Each structure stands twice: as structure tokens, then as C-alpha cells.
Amino acid sequence: MGTMDHAPTTLVLLRHGKANASGPSDHARDLAVSGRRDAAAAGEWLARRGLIPDRALVSDALRTQETWSACAAAGRFVCPVDHSAALYAAEVEGALGLIRSTPADVGTLVVVGHNPTIALLAQLLDDGEGDPEAADGMAIGFPTAALAVLTVTGAWTGLDLGSARLRGFHVARSEGH
């Protein structure tokens, strides 16, 4: 590979698990029991597919931090985690800017955030040439603990709308749920 070539990288966009309806503030709402189970199920699903994160970008809200903790524990993921206050309130362009700042050596990045940003980002990054079943599933909705897996062919710095390919969409639901 030449210096301008990049091995494909993987972007996982994960919406936080179901949160309790109230808390001291929206930022401080924690996960419901089902949200913790579903976040763990998301981690297990990723691990079964060999999607092992090199880094995680996580909103600094309590529910997203708890989602990542449960996901990482279930998947046995150990990687650097960036807790981002900017991601908590970010819209698509802001979230895209944060992802573009990912170090070049990161092969798989998991972003744990909030809707509508996570769902919109997944839809807008998709080049439309990926997995049609995943696209159909994502079109129906992006519920709590849902995740989209996209392949990025260029550098993180060049990530743009329509420049990634949807490889999978999964709604993590724990057994007995």
C-alpha cells in the first residue's frame, strides 16, 4: 500500500441503552435494568462478529457511559475511551467532526451517543451500496441499544456524508426481553 492508501476501517454507531425516565438532570439519567442488559447484548453481538474496538468515543452523559461500560464488559473490550461533552449535544456535523479527529491508527471506532444524531449520522454516512437488509432495518427506526456497522475506506479525517458503507444493523435485545 502506498502512503495515501488506507486499510478499511470500521465505524460502529451505538445508541445508548434504555434510560430511566427521570434523573437529577437529563445528563444524569442512568440506564434502566433492561438498558444495561441490552448494552451487554450489544457488546456480545460485536464480539461474536470479531468487531473489537481500538477506541471508543462516548458522550459524557451517564446513560452513554453506562452503555459503554456494559457493552465493553460483555464483549471483553479494553481500549482507550474518550468521554466527550461535545458529543452529548452534537448534531450530525459536530459528531462527524469528532469522528474525523480519530487517530489514524484506530481500525475500529465505537461511538456511543444519542438520537436523533446517531440515527441520522448512520443514514447520512451510508453510501447506499451496502447491506440492503441492514438498510431496511435502519429505515424502520433506531431504537435504544441499536447499532450500525459501517466500513470507512479512507482516512478518518476524510469521512464525509455518503462515504461509508453499511455492513450491518442490529437492535440489541437481551434474552427474556
Side-chain angles (χ1 to χ4, degrees), residues 122-132 135 138 150 162-166:
Q123 291 166 359
L124 294 171
L125 287 173
D126 179 21
D127 67 4
E129 301 294 319
D131 182 329
M138 203 165 66
L150 298 116
S163 72
R165 182 152 297 164
L166 184 65

Side-chain angles (χ1 to χ4, degrees), residues 55-145:
R55 190 172 205 101
L57 173 62
V58 181
S59 158
D60 70 349
L62 182 57
R63 61 190 175 276
T64 46
Q65 291 182 54
E66 289 180 344
T67 296
W68 172 247
S69 292
C71 177
R76 296 192 167 106
F77 306 140
V78 179
C79 66
V81 180
D82 299 314
H83 295 282
S84 172
L87 186 57
Y88 172 71
E91 294 188 15
V92 169
E93 281 301 320
L96 196 50
L98 293 167
I99 295 167
R100 284 180 184 136
S101 68
T102 299
D105 63 348
V106 171
T108 299
L109 174 69
V110 174
V111 178
V112 186
H114 310 268
N115 265 4
T117 301
I118 290 293
L120 284 171
L121 193 57
Q123 291 166 359
L124 294 171
L125 287 173
D126 179 21
D127 67 4
E129 301 294 319
D131 182 329
E133 191 177 315
D136 289 349
M138 203 165 66
I140 292 168
F142 212 105
T144 54

Side-chain angles (χ1 to χ4, degrees), residues 149-161:
V149 179
L150 298 116
T151 298
V152 178
T153 53
W156 293 111
T157 55
L159 183 64
D160 209 347
L161 304 183

